[in-house]
Amino acid sequence: MLDLHDQWKNFEKTGQYRFTPPIHVIVSFHQALTEFFAEGGVAGRGGRYAGNCRILIDGMQELGFEPLLPKRLQAPIIVTFRMPANRRFVFQAFYDKLKDRGYVIYPGKLTVADSFRIGCIGRLFPDDMRGALAAIRDILDEMGVKSLKSAKAA
């Protein structure tokens, strides 16, 4: 079990790890912290996520997709979009075509609405969000999807 406090107490007392040290985990954690602080900590990382989220929502709405949540409730982590009612929009085909272009999204797991989700966090930057939007635009054209009115609105 990873008990950092107990590990620290034991290290202070004995100068040793309780068990064989997971060097790869320690180095990875150090790198993650270095990148986190270099980005400006919570404010910097949170600002990037919020920017990614704005780009995604604005771009998806411009294409005609409808976010499930109103802006006042939307967190900058992952955005849920209502599934379009257009018969030409087949989610599995949409998903596969995005994945082939290097973008992985998430099928909806909601009971309140048919939906899918797109994440805004991790090692994603504004250009990544714009790239995903361009891929989505191209895929919609390939699928012949013109109207994206959601099932709720249809």
Side-chain angles (χ1 to χ4, degrees):
M1 175 162 50
L2 180 61
D3 183 337
L4 291 176
H5 185 260
D6 193 48
Q7 178 62 53
W8 171 74
K9 283 189 334 188
N10 189 72
F11 199 82
E12 289 292 308
K13 182 177 164 185
T14 68
Q16 299 287 320
Y17 284 92
R18 293 182 309 156
F19 307 106
T20 302
I23 299 303
H24 61 289
V25 173
I26 295 166
V27 171
S28 297
F29 186 53
H30 179 265
Q31 183 62 34
L33 287 174
T34 299
E35 291 176 20
F36 176 74
F37 290 119
E39 191 170 3
V42 172
R45 178 81 43 97
R48 176 166 56 86
Y49 293 166
N52 286 347
C53 185
R54 274 191 305 277
I55 291 167
L56 177 65
I57 290 174
D58 290 349
M60 290 293 278
Q61 285 181 314
E62 191 175 297
L63 291 171
F65 287 95
E66 180 186 345
L68 180 71
L69 295 176
K71 280 188 181 185
R72 64 184 171 78
L73 296 177
Q74 180 63 59
I77 306 300
I78 193 165
V79 182
T80 301
F81 294 96
R82 292 183 181 277
M83 199 71 73
N86 189 314
R87 278 184 259 158
R88 289 183 174 265
F89 185 89
V90 177
F91 179 76
Q92 191 61 54
F94 178 71
Y95 175 91
D96 290 341
K97 289 173 182 289
L98 271 174
K99 187 176 179 188
D100 289 345
R101 289 168 168 84
Y103 300 98
V104 178
I105 63 173
Y106 310 94
K109 301 277 186 190
L110 302 176
T111 56
V112 297
D114 286 336
S115 61
F116 63 92
R117 301 171 294 153
I118 301 178
C120 303
I121 64 171
R123 200 155 178 78
L124 297 174
F125 298 88
D127 284 344
D128 297 308
M129 306 314 286
R130 290 184 198 96
L133 289 166
I136 290 168
R137 187 177 310 107
D138 291 346
I139 291 166
L140 293 174
D141 287 344
E142 286 175 24
M143 295 173 79
V145 176
K146 302 296 180 215
S147 169
L148 287 169
K149 199 175 281 192
S150 72
K152 172 188 159 201

